[in-house]
């Protein structure tokens, strides 16, 4: 234990020394030295320090040979610090300021990448996901032969999958709410809402791997909707549900839900044949 305390003291002194050194650099009016220190901090992975210094320096560097580098480095330091919102804004600023700049292509890619890194899980609001998709699409339009083309395309597919998953959660929620009308307005119905949500998702994302799950929800919702219908609507809705089941079997002949579709068909026929 005796040897531990000197080591702790030495570490504390080193940290204090580093902090004092940084404070001196931060306060100095020697901007060339401050800039070199910021670059060194960045290269050593001390992104918070680099960000702190560069936030002051980018304005001072305007019109100099270091202007582009300082702004791009600030954006990258923010990105590496996981401050994705600030990074996206700074990358956008760089591209707006230097659309033909040395780092223009990378900056435009990292606008999308920064937004991508800050997107929430599918159950939450997906405004950021939509923004990331738009950013990557802009990147691909501007730089169709870019070095990061494949990465951007992969990100686009991942982000679209997240939007599809969000729609699936919404459709499933409507189905699970079933006959609960507390959340409905204007005479709405949860099963109808499920059908509309699922059908829109199939239309908007026709090649999604979740297509069958949406189709199952449509089929189940149409049957449940028929079950709870008033007499004057029962026949029409059971016929619609029956047609939906046949369509499901035709499209997914090997589906695990095929037996459920056949069960629904038999029950529907008991009503439509009468």
């Amino acid at each position: 234990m005796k040897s531990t305390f000197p080591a702790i003291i030495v570490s504390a002194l080193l940290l204090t020394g580093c902090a004092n050194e940084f404070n001196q650099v931060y306060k100095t009016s020697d901007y060339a030295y401050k800039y070199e220190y910021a670059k060194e901090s960045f290269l050593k992975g001390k992104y918070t320090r680099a960000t702190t210094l560069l936030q002051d320096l980018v304005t001072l560097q305007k019109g100099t040979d270091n202007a582009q580098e300082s702004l791009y480095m600030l954006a990258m330091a923010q990105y590496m610090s996981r401050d994705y919102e600030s990074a996206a804004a700074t990358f956008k600023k760089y591209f707006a300021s230097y659309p033909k700049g040395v780092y223009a292509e990378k900056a435009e890619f990292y606008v999308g990448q920064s937004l991508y890194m800050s997107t929430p899980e599918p159950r939450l609001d997906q405004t950021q996901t939509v923004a990331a998709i738009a950013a990557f699409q802009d990147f691909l339009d501007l730089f169709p032969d870019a070095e990061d083309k494949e990465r951007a395309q992969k990100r686009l597919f991942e982000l679209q999958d997240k939007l599809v998953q969000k729609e699936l959660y919404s459709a499933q929620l409507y189905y699970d709410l079933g006959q609960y009308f507390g959340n409905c307005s204007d005479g709405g119905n949860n099963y109808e809402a499920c059908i509309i949500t699922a059908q829109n998702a199939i239309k908007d994302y026709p090649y999604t791997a979740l297509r069958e799950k949406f189709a199952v929800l449509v089929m189940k919702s149409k049957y449940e909707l028929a079950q709870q219908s008033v007499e004057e609507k029962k026949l029409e809705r059971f016929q619609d549900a029956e047609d939906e089941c046949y369509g499901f079997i035709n499209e997914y002949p090997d589906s695990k839900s095929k037996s459920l579709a056949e069960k629904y068909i038999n029950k529907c026929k008991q009503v439509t044949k009468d």
Side-chain angles (χ1 to χ4, degrees):
M1 290 296 292
K2 289 183 180 180
S3 61
T4 303
F5 292 106
I8 293 174
I9 293 171
V10 170
S11 298
L13 289 173
L14 288 172
L15 289 173
T16 302
C18 290
N20 288 337
E21 180 188 48
F22 177 76
N23 288 334
Q24 289 174 2
V25 174
Y26 181 74
K27 294 175 182 177
T28 186
S29 58
D30 186 344
Y31 300 122
Y33 175 67
K34 182 183 286 190
Y35 185 60
E36 290 304 316
Y37 190 92
K39 288 179 66 175
E40 184 181 355
S41 296
F42 180 85
L43 292 172
K44 289 182 176 180
K46 298 178 180 179
Y47 301 116
T48 302
R49 288 190 174 192
T51 298
T52 302
L53 296 174
L54 288 166
Q55 283 173 331
D56 291 333
L57 287 167
V58 288
T59 302
L60 298 168
Q61 297 287 350
K62 281 184 178 180
T64 71
D65 293 338
N66 295 326
Q68 288 194 47
E69 184 182 57
S70 61
L71 187 56
Y72 182 75
M73 192 172 5
L74 171 60
M76 285 303 302
Q78 291 167 331
Y79 178 82
M80 297 304 293
S81 298
R82 300 184 182 181
D83 184 1
Y84 299 121
E85 184 176 350
S86 297
T90 307
F91 283 122
K92 285 181 183 179
K93 183 179 179 180
Y94 176 93
F95 190 78
S97 302
Y98 309 104
K100 303 292 185 182
V102 178
Y103 308 103
E105 182 180 313
K106 283 292 185 182
E108 187 68 0
F109 171 79
Y110 273 101
V111 172
Q113 180 66 15
S114 298
L115 293 170
Y116 166 83
M117 294 299 292
S118 61
T119 54
E121 61 101 3
R123 294 181 188 273
L124 303 177
D125 178 73
Q126 295 300 306
T127 301
Q128 198 81 332
T129 301
V130 174
I133 288 173
F136 278 126
Q137 194 59 64
D138 286 344
F139 168 73
L140 291 171
D141 290 342
L142 288 165
F143 304 100
D145 300 316
E147 179 184 352
D148 293 306
K149 177 181 178 179
E150 290 187 8
R151 287 180 68 195
Q153 290 174 330
K154 181 181 178 182
R155 292 288 186 256
L156 273 176
F157 291 137
E158 291 174 6
L159 291 164
Q160 287 172 350
D161 285 346
K162 187 171 286 193
L163 292 183
V164 178
Q165 188 67 58
K166 170 70 172 177
E167 292 304 301
L168 183 60
Y169 283 137
S170 297
Q172 185 67 56
L173 177 60
Y174 283 127
Y175 180 80
D176 292 341
L177 286 171
Q179 298 185 42
Y180 172 71
F181 293 101
N183 66 307
C184 298
S185 60
D186 301 324
N189 179 288
N190 289 310
Y191 290 124
E192 289 177 321
C194 177
I195 293 166
I196 292 170
T197 301
Q199 288 179 333
N200 284 342
I202 292 172
K203 180 181 178 181
D204 293 338
Y205 309 100
Y207 303 110
T208 175
L210 299 176
R211 182 184 176 92
E212 183 181 335
K213 290 186 177 181
F214 284 113
V216 170
L217 284 173
V218 172
M219 177 179 67
K220 291 167 68 175
S221 292
K222 284 192 174 184
Y223 178 78
E224 294 297 336
L225 187 62
Q227 283 277 79
Q228 68 172 34
S229 295
V230 294
E231 285 302 319
E232 56 266 29
K233 292 185 178 181
K234 267 189 184 295
L235 179 60
E236 178 185 352
R237 286 181 170 173
F238 270 112
Q239 288 174 335
D240 185 32
E242 185 177 342
D243 289 343
E244 188 68 35
C245 291
Y246 278 120
F248 178 84
I249 292 172
N250 287 335
E251 186 169 0
Y252 306 101
D254 300 319
S255 172
K256 292 180 179 179
S257 297
K258 181 181 178 180
S259 59
L260 177 63
E262 292 171 338
K263 175 183 175 182
Y264 284 161
I265 288 171
N266 292 330
K267 290 190 174 183
C268 287
K269 285 186 182 297
Q270 293 174 11
V271 177
T272 58
K273 280 185 175 181
D274 294 340

